[in-house]
């Protein structure tokens, strides 16, 4: 397993690996509490990527899973800081086993 994409969003992080999505959510003012959420790609059924609009500064990625208690995971991506098309290409490639060639 290796990291294909790592994005830092404020104090939080989103990592896409060859086997899972890892969300690191830093909580509180001091940042002493950290929530780690890992979702194996085998449990992801769908995903959506939404670009930022003219008046919206955040793009967004949503993932739907079959993990009990976690039907949907959503992560904001800062406009200009993350290439949502790279996120989409990696997720599509892993979930659909697409090589990227036509």
């Amino acid at each position: 397993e290796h990291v294909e994409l790592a994005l830092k969003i404020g104090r939080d992080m989103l990592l896409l690996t060859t086997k899972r999505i890892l969300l690191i959510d830093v909580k509180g003012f001091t940042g002493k509490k950290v929530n780690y959420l890992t979702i194996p790609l085998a449990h992801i059924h769908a995903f959506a990527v939404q670009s930022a609009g003219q008046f919206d500064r955040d793009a967004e990625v949503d993932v739907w899973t079959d993990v009990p208690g976690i039907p949907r995971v959503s992560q904001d991506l800062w406009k200009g800081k993350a290439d949502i098309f790279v996120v989409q290409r990696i997720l599509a490639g892993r979930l659909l086993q697409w090589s990227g060639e036509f």
Side-chain angles (χ1 to χ4, degrees):
E1 177 177 21
H2 67 273
V3 175
E4 293 187 310
L5 180 68
L7 299 172
K8 186 161 177 68
I9 304 113
R11 298 188 305 171
D12 301 339
M13 289 189 72
L14 168 69
L15 289 97
L16 301 175
T17 75
T18 54
K19 294 186 179 186
R20 72 189 77 243
I21 294 176
L22 176 63
L23 295 165
I24 303 171
D25 185 12
V26 179
K27 301 282 189 181
F29 183 72
T30 62
K32 289 185 179 181
K33 183 177 178 182
V34 180
N35 184 29
Y36 297 92
L37 176 65
T38 182
I39 302 170
L41 293 179
H43 293 279
I44 296 174
H45 290 287
F47 71 92
V49 178
Q50 180 179 344
S51 63
Q54 184 176 2
F55 300 107
D56 185 13
R57 67 178 186 90
D58 292 340
E60 187 174 321
V61 62
D62 295 311
V63 175
W64 287 269
T65 76
D66 65 359
V67 177
I70 310 172
R72 178 175 169 242
V73 176
S74 182
Q75 176 66 55
D76 288 336
L77 305 172
W78 289 0
K79 184 177 182 179
K81 300 285 183 178
D83 187 347
I84 61 167
F85 299 109
V86 171
V87 173
Q88 181 177 3
R89 188 179 71 236
I90 291 171
L91 286 174
R94 288 291 165 209
L95 298 178
L96 303 173
Q97 299 300 313
W98 180 54
S99 66
E101 297 177 13
F102 289 104

